[in-house]
Amino acid sequence: MKQIFRVMSDMVVPGIVCAALIAALAGMSLLPRLGQHMDVPRENYSGYGDTAQAKIACGRKPPQIVRKGSGNCRVGEEFPLGDIFQGMDAAGNPINIQVLDIRDSQGIRRMDCYRKAGNKLVFPTKGAYLLELQAVDGQRKMARKKFVLLSDNR
């Protein structure tokens, strides 16, 4: 019988101690405050020296990519990309245009139509081609735009 009391006391005493600790925590009101938001003093960055320059750089308009010509091209004729498209930064200065992707009317990728060395395009067959172009200005602002070019024998 003494052994049963020892085993039972080994189980009951830790349970009573645990319940007492939980009651003490609840009584000290720690549990209701656990999910509350802590107020942290905020730092005012507007007084820093580079804040004005950062606002100006971030507030700049992104560059633009505009179509200069009609967008009709002859089949097999090589032409510079700059004859049809022009990139301009926010100040109106010309910037370079990069070709990211060319797809034909079936959605097949046709980057073989682009000659990177001379920044030229040549379309081997007639049809509509979707060009994805990108321009990046001196402030590293980026603009991406998609254009459709037609290639035929006109």
Side-chain angles (χ1 to χ4, degrees):
M1 192 70 160
K2 287 183 179 182
Q3 191 174 8
I4 293 173
F5 284 125
R6 273 191 220 143
V7 171
M8 291 300 284
S9 66
D10 286 346
M11 291 173 28
V12 172
V13 171
I16 293 172
V17 171
C18 183
L21 286 175
I22 290 175
L25 286 176
M28 292 176 10
S29 72
L30 289 178
L31 291 178
R33 294 179 55 196
L34 284 179
Q36 290 181 352
H37 180 68
M38 187 172 120
D39 292 327
V40 179
R42 298 198 180 256
E43 182 72 30
N44 184 8
Y45 296 106
S46 62
Y48 288 177
D50 60 347
T51 302
Q53 290 89 3
K55 284 183 179 180
I56 291 170
C58 292
R60 283 181 55 116
K61 292 184 178 179
Q64 292 182 347
I65 303 172
V66 294
R67 185 188 304 233
K68 293 191 311 189
S70 64
N72 289 339
C73 310
R74 291 184 153 271
V75 174
E77 182 180 324
E78 191 173 86
F79 60 94
L81 187 66
D83 287 354
I84 297 178
F85 300 105
Q86 181 179 5
M88 294 183 297
D89 64 1
N93 301 323
I95 56 175
N96 291 333
I97 298 175
Q98 301 168 342
V99 177
L100 298 179
D101 194 21
I102 300 174
R103 298 200 179 257
D104 62 8
S105 57
Q106 286 82 31
I108 300 171
R109 190 158 194 227
R110 298 296 306 262
M111 282 301 288
D112 58 327
C113 299
Y114 177 60
R115 310 281 186 263
K116 191 172 184 176
N119 204 20
K120 295 183 178 185
L121 293 169
V122 59
F123 297 118
T125 59
K126 66 179 181 176
Y129 292 88
L130 178 69
L131 275 75
E132 184 176 1
L133 305 175
Q134 172 179 305
V136 180
D137 67 1
Q139 299 291 327
R140 301 192 51 83
K141 283 236 176 199
M142 180 176 58
R144 286 186 179 178
K145 203 164 182 185
K146 294 182 180 181
F147 293 95
V148 175
L149 284 180
L150 299 176
S151 176
D152 57 13
N153 291 324
R154 290 186 217 176

